[in-house]
Amino acid sequence: MKRLTVAIALALCAIMAATGVQGQPLLKTHVETGDLEGTADGPLAVYKAIPYAAPPVGDLRWRAPQPALPWEGVLKAETFGPWPPQPTRPGRTADMMSEDCLYLGIATPAHSTADRLPVMVWIHGGGFQTEHYGGDLWKHLAMRGVVIVSVEYRTGALGFMAHPELTKESADGHSGNYGLLDQLFALQWVQRNITSFGGDPANVTIFGESAGAISCSILCASPLAKGLFHRCISQSGGSFAPWRDQPRTLGMDASQKGAEQQGLAFQKHLKKKSLKQLRKMDAMSLCDGNVGFGGFWPCVDGYVICDDQYRLYERGEYNDVPVIVMTNSDEGALFTPGNIKAEDYQKQARSVFGSFADEALKVYPGNTDDEAWHGNSDAFRDMGFAWPSFAWVNLQSKTGKSAAYAAYLAQPSTRSFSGDPRRRGVAHADDILYLNGEFLMQPDKYPVEAAVAEIMQQYWVNFAKTGNPNGKGLPYWPTFDDTKPTTMQFANGASLIMRPNREQLDFVDRFYKAKREETERQRK
């Protein structure tokens, strides 16, 4: 195990030497709004809070992001910006949060603004309701020769509430997707400013997990994002569900009209008479857990999101860039209640699947409480993450020109974000542990996980540099072909397998096909 520790350390040193990152960190630079000073973190220069847009407060609440204001002197970007307003919990209190949250962080190994290193832009998850851009600057990836950018965006009601009054006041006739507009604004900022950190604006990879991966998927299909990035890595997420003119439900997205209905219901819930009154409310009173109203999500507004993304990909109407699309083997373990009962599970399945319920309960059985726990977990995995990911990589392999790679993380480990002992694989968000250095920093305790983390990080950085994950010393990874073993499974190393959970995913595919056709008939 000590040899593994030494090997990993030597590999990182070799990477740093090969990419020229052992020079002086780039601790001072200039962007369009002023001078900046970062801090040294080993071989990296780290800038923790750079304003990329004006604070979305006052009259700018529920409006498209506006340019950041210039500052005098040198801005020392030493401390992360605040969390966006969201439900509080232990360790995440209201005083840590602010509506003034549109900041980004950068970790760069460059020692000259002329280095032109590949850029990776991270979009965090959290169900479009929670989390923070400062959760990780992916320093282990940065030390392999890429510039990392981590972006904050508005979440919850402040980021995704649509409302008829907002639609009316918009010159483009849209409302709701403010958090996505923030992400687009940040990518535009990267195009204009990343050379100041030694990055190459012509080589930008977006990557994200969960809601961040869903965001990446949406950006890959949005005409507003064309040319802002050149590759994409999705970790547990994609936006390929059908939509209708009603508020969003499980497995069914909403149009702007449906999202506006939710906005009006939110206004009524808060006992307010107008948008003007909502704009005067304290931000936390719109987003904290005691509000008792949640579930805000991106909507099909005809502007950022133009249609059912499945149909867009069928027609080839998307930003055709190379992609890696990965899911975890037991995603649903993080979301399945520990006390779920077989009777309740079966009722829920019949409510969700309707005429498909009998088939669903064969594919995801739940005749006992324990069986119901696993059935719910697997159904959540496939409907929420695995099927959208399969739809994405499969459609792009048929209608796109750029490479599409499929991955499946199945490494057994005692370490997980899910504490349920019934977990049988890699839970949702566990992939973060392989990319943030947690396993690499503890190879004696997690030797196999550390080896898998090393492989994954090499693939990810190779892909960011060239659009192809393959490289010296790595198992060859072909592009996706559903008829061949082309999915790269990360478990005790890396090896190719056929698409996993095929029976379940084929069922979900049939279910969504019927739902898509049903919603399209309703819109005619």
Side-chain angles (χ1 to χ4, degrees):
M1 292 183 187
K2 288 183 179 179
R3 280 182 289 185
L4 179 60
T5 307
V6 172
I8 292 172
L10 289 173
L12 282 173
C13 289
I15 291 165
M16 290 160 58
T19 53
V21 299
Q22 290 189 328
Q24 181 68 26
L26 190 61
L27 297 177
K28 294 183 179 181
T29 194
H30 179 84
V31 295
E32 61 192 8
T33 42
D35 293 326
L36 282 169
E37 184 174 338
T39 57
D41 190 341
L44 304 175
V46 174
Y47 297 81
K48 292 185 176 180
I50 305 172
Y52 70 86
V57 301
D59 287 342
L60 292 184
R61 177 183 287 179
W62 293 311
R63 294 189 193 274
Q66 299 299 307
L69 300 175
W71 56 81
E72 298 290 335
V74 178
L75 177 64
K76 294 188 176 182
E78 299 174 341
T79 306
F80 285 114
W83 295 57
Q86 59 189 267
T88 54
R89 47 181 159 162
R92 299 180 185 179
T93 53
D95 61 327
M96 300 167 59
M97 303 173 188
S98 172
E99 198 169 0
D100 177 6
C101 62
L102 299 186
Y103 296 85
L104 54 81
I106 293 178
T108 177
H111 53 88
S112 166
T113 57
D115 282 2
R116 292 296 191 274
L117 299 176
V119 180
M120 297 183 72
V121 179
W122 172 253
I123 304 174
H124 71 74
F128 297 107
Q129 313 295 318
T130 64
E131 301 310 321
H132 181 231
Y133 82 99
D136 208 295
L137 288 182
W138 309 103
K139 296 171 188 174
H140 280 74
L141 295 178
M143 286 191 290
R144 296 174 188 270
V146 296
V147 178
I148 298 291
V149 182
S150 183
V151 174
E152 191 52 86
Y153 56 96
R154 284 171 282 182
T155 58
L158 293 171
F160 294 96
M161 187 191 80
H163 192 283
E165 289 185 62
L166 288 170
T167 302
K168 186 176 180 179
E169 73 179 26
S170 167
D172 300 294
H174 64 87
S175 66
N177 289 328
Y178 305 103
L180 295 174
L181 291 173
D182 293 341
Q183 296 169 16
L184 287 160
F185 207 71
L187 288 170
Q188 292 167 351
W189 186 97
V190 167
Q191 285 297 305
R192 298 191 305 271
N193 293 279
I194 204 62
T195 55
S196 297
F197 303 89
D200 183 358
N203 189 0
V204 175
T205 299
I206 57 172
F207 72 127
E209 182 269 342
S210 193
I214 294 170
S215 296
C216 288
S217 167
I218 291 170
L219 293 171
C220 279
S222 177
L224 301 184
K226 184 176 179 61
L228 295 180
F229 60 91
H230 313 92
R231 333 193 193 291
C232 174
I233 301 173
S234 166
Q235 297 166 210
S236 304
S239 182
F240 287 86
W243 60 274
R244 58 185 177 178
D245 291 331
Q246 297 177 31
R248 179 179 178 271
T249 58
L250 181 64
M252 190 71 63
D253 288 340
S255 67
Q256 181 174 291
K257 182 178 179 180
E260 287 174 356
Q261 294 174 33
Q262 186 185 28
L264 288 171
F266 185 52
Q267 176 183 309
K268 183 178 180 180
H269 175 78
L270 295 174
K271 297 180 172 57
K272 300 300 178 185
K273 296 182 179 180
S274 67
L275 178 66
K276 184 177 180 180
Q277 290 184 350
L278 290 174
R279 276 208 171 106
K280 289 182 177 179
M281 291 181 65
D282 175 73
M284 290 305 297
S285 65
L286 293 164
C287 296
D288 204 353
N290 59 14
V291 175
F293 193 106
F296 293 99
W297 199 267
C299 65
V300 180
D301 61 354
Y303 180 66
V304 181
I305 304 174
C306 293
D307 195 2
D308 177 339
Q309 194 155 310
Y310 194 98
R311 294 301 191 204
L312 292 175
Y313 267 69
E314 280 187 324
R315 300 194 295 263
E317 299 174 10
Y318 55 93
N319 300 311
D320 192 350
V321 300
V323 297
I324 291 176
V325 182
M326 183 176 77
T327 54
N328 302 341
S329 60
D330 204 1
E331 302 260 15
L334 189 65
F335 303 98
T336 299
N339 60 351
I340 190 170
K341 300 297 182 184
E343 181 181 1
D344 295 332
Y345 167 70
Q346 292 171 22
K347 286 181 180 178
Q348 180 182 350
R350 295 196 178 280
S351 174
V352 171
F353 292 106
S355 61
F356 283 77
D358 288 342
E359 187 177 0
L361 287 170
K362 292 179 181 178
V363 176
Y364 305 110
N367 297 308
T368 66
D369 292 350
D370 187 65
E371 193 176 55
W373 190 91
H374 288 292
N376 186 88
S377 179
D378 289 350
F380 203 109
R381 174 198 64 204
D382 294 341
M383 292 189 69
F385 308 107
W387 178 82
S389 298
F390 161 65
W392 183 353
V393 74
N394 189 50
L395 286 168
Q396 181 159 330
S397 71
K398 294 176 179 178
T399 65
K401 296 179 181 178
S402 299
Y405 299 91
Y408 185 66
L409 180 57
Q411 175 60 48
S413 180
T414 57
R415 176 74 173 89
S416 173
F417 287 106
S418 168
D420 198 299
R422 289 168 288 190
R423 175 179 60 88
R424 293 185 295 203
V426 181
H428 188 67
D430 286 356
D431 47 294
I432 289 174
L433 304 173
Y434 292 84
L435 295 175
N436 70 0
E438 177 155 343
F439 289 140
L440 282 178
M441 297 302 290
Q442 303 179 78
D444 291 340
K445 186 176 182 180
Y446 300 106
V448 182
E449 293 93 325
V452 170
E454 174 69 21
I455 293 170
M456 286 179 63
Q457 290 195 22
Q458 288 185 47
Y459 276 133
W460 264 227
V461 171
N462 288 347
F463 181 79
K465 291 178 178 179
T466 68
N468 187 328
N470 291 293
K472 186 177 180 180
L474 294 171
Y476 179 70
W477 188 352
T479 55
F480 182 75
D481 182 336
D482 199 32
T483 66
K484 299 176 182 178
T486 54
T487 295
M488 185 61 76
Q489 176 174 261
F490 298 113
N492 298 315
S495 59
L496 294 172
I497 60 171
M498 295 293 291
R499 168 167 54 99
N501 308 310
R502 182 172 292 265
E503 179 186 4
Q504 292 95 327
L505 291 186
D506 286 348
F507 162 73
V508 176
D509 195 59
R510 292 193 299 275
F511 172 74
Y512 272 130
K513 181 177 185 293
K515 284 294 182 182
R516 180 169 294 104
E517 292 171 350
E518 176 186 333
T519 58
E520 289 172 346
R521 286 195 300 271
Q522 292 171 354
R523 291 199 297 272
K524 288 181 179 178

